[in-house]
Amino acid sequence: MSVQTEILNEIKQYDTIIIHRHQRPDPDALGSQVGLAEILRKSFPDKKVYQVGGAVEGLDYLATMQEIPEETYQGALVIVTDTANAPRISDSRYDLGDKLIKIDHHPNDEPYGDLVWVNTNASSCSEMIADFWQLFPDDLVMDEEAARLLYGGIVGDTGRFLYPATSAHTLAIASKLLAYGFDAAKLNRQLEQVSRNVARLSGYVYQNLEIDENGAGRIIFTKELMAEFAVTDAETSGIVPLPGVIEDVLAWGIFVEQPEGYYRVRLRSKGPVINELAKQHHGGGHPLASGANAYSLDEAQEMYAEIQRLCREFVENQ
């Protein structure tokens, strides 16, 4: 029996299903979480299906969360999407249910849950949820809203189909979702849109990005700089891809100082594998897109030195 069949069987057995995703959600986190919720509501109208996890940080055009009391978890099935490790799950009550299912496309370095479906070849967790629907056409029903959410998640995690994880299958799934008639042009605009303050910060990135001779890039956003531009940490997610459009940038780190004093680090690459570096600094992720934390400027410098080494070795081996 496939793990997908096992997951469907569990869904059928429970009257209450609660779906979580990771903290600081991106479009794929919300797309997979609420896309699955919408499919289950449409497919099993007698079940109670909830999406939880607190603030959606500027992505409320995609979806919003529900608030439920702790008692709702009693005898419930809990599903977590797009979340590699348990500490990153938004809403710590995820373990109060009767059974826990993990659905994810990140490397399964920190397994959790009673049932685990991980596909690191998928472009996104939203693609996996769309695959789940396709596997069971007699049981699962897609509608316009679920298709919109899953398409948004795929577009978000593939960088508008630019990243290497985009496959022929990804495009085929996106095509099937588009057939449900939601306003894809509007959704694409919403996904791309940034505030004027973020646009100003983008200019700062292009003017101040540090790049070495092998294409290792770095930019640091201090608390003072964030205050000067009136930009929140959540808004800086729109900045992350920008260094990649510069032709001689190979891999880069964006270091964002948090109110607590540590630095949230977003790592991206066009070739050198950077997720092992992320794992060494309280993080993880995909080979070419990861996140980590640096607890001092010295640690941030160590991380940049490692990015430089990875780029140098990559260039030498070409």
Side-chain angles (χ1 to χ4, degrees):
M1 183 187 299
S2 70
V3 66
Q4 296 95 326
T5 300
E6 290 183 69
I7 290 171
L8 180 61
N9 289 342
E10 293 294 344
I11 287 169
K12 288 179 176 179
Q13 288 179 31
Y14 284 86
D15 294 326
T16 300
I17 301 168
I18 304 168
I19 308 178
H20 290 244
R21 39 78 184 168
H22 61 72
Q23 300 164 2
R24 294 168 168 161
D26 57 10
D28 187 35
L30 292 176
S32 57
Q33 176 197 25
V34 189
L36 176 59
E38 292 294 345
I39 289 171
L40 297 186
R41 290 185 185 111
K42 194 78 174 178
S43 307
F44 306 103
D46 294 333
K47 296 184 184 294
K48 296 174 182 176
V49 181
Y50 301 99
Q51 61 225 30
V52 301
V56 296
E57 302 188 7
L59 294 173
D60 52 355
Y61 63 84
L62 273 177
T64 56
M65 297 294 103
Q66 297 164 304
E67 293 185 11
I68 59 174
E70 200 166 286
E71 304 83 69
T72 308
Y73 285 84
Q74 294 177 8
L77 174 65
V78 178
I79 303 174
V80 181
T81 68
D82 196 39
T83 310
N85 52 2
R88 287 204 71 209
I89 300 172
S90 193
D91 194 326
S92 60
R93 300 177 297 174
Y94 69 88
D95 59 352
L96 298 180
D98 188 53
K99 183 161 285 191
L100 179 63
I101 295 174
K102 173 185 180 179
I103 302 176
D104 190 30
H105 69 123
H106 300 94
N108 196 29
D109 295 326
E110 299 181 48
Y112 63 85
D114 303 297
L115 198 52
V116 176
W117 175 27
V118 170
N119 179 9
T120 56
N121 293 319
S123 71
S124 54
C125 196
S126 294
E127 181 180 310
M128 293 177 66
I129 300 303
D131 286 338
F132 186 58
W133 154 64
Q134 291 255 281
L135 276 173
F136 304 106
D138 295 333
D139 295 288
L140 300 177
V141 179
M142 181 67 68
D143 66 4
E144 181 181 328
E145 179 60 7
R148 184 186 74 94
L149 287 158
L150 295 175
Y151 181 84
I154 292 170
V155 169
D157 250 29
T158 60
R160 293 173 297 154
F161 308 108
L162 291 175
Y163 299 157
T166 305
S167 65
H169 179 70
T170 305
L171 296 174
I173 284 290
S175 173
K176 289 182 171 67
L177 296 172
L178 277 171
Y180 281 82
F182 60 90
D183 191 338
K186 178 182 178 181
L187 178 57
N188 284 322
R189 286 195 303 272
Q190 290 171 319
L191 288 164
E192 283 296 293
Q193 210 162 252
V194 298
S195 69
R196 190 175 300 181
N197 289 342
V198 172
R200 290 174 57 238
L201 185 62
S202 301
Y204 177 89
V205 169
Y206 286 131
Q207 288 184 314
N208 294 277
L209 182 70
E210 180 181 348
I211 311 168
D212 79 357
E213 68 275 10
N214 292 307
R218 166 176 68 172
I219 189 95
I220 296 176
F221 297 153
T222 63
K223 286 186 287 189
E224 292 75 19
L225 186 77
M226 299 283 283
E228 177 186 339
F229 283 88
V231 169
T232 65
D233 175 64
E235 290 177 298
T236 62
S237 62
I239 300 290
V240 178
L242 298 184
V245 305
I246 301 172
E247 62 180 353
D248 54 349
V249 171
L250 184 58
W252 63 99
I254 294 181
F255 299 79
V256 183
E257 189 176 11
Q258 303 297 302
E260 299 85 354
Y262 71 94
Y263 293 83
R264 182 183 183 188
V265 187
R266 295 181 175 97
L267 300 169
R268 296 294 185 271
S269 173
K270 298 177 185 176
V273 173
I274 43 82
N275 61 339
E276 289 301 322
L277 168 60
K279 290 176 192 175
Q280 293 164 17
H281 294 272
H282 328 284
H286 300 288
L288 304 182
S290 293
N293 294 296
Y295 287 93
S296 66
L297 271 176
D298 285 343
E299 185 175 359
Q301 177 57 41
E302 288 172 16
M303 292 186 71
Y304 181 54
E306 187 65 11
I307 296 170
Q308 291 178 298
R309 182 187 68 80
L310 292 169
C311 286
R312 183 174 64 253
E313 291 179 356
F314 186 85
V315 170
E316 289 172 352
N317 290 325
Q318 292 304 295

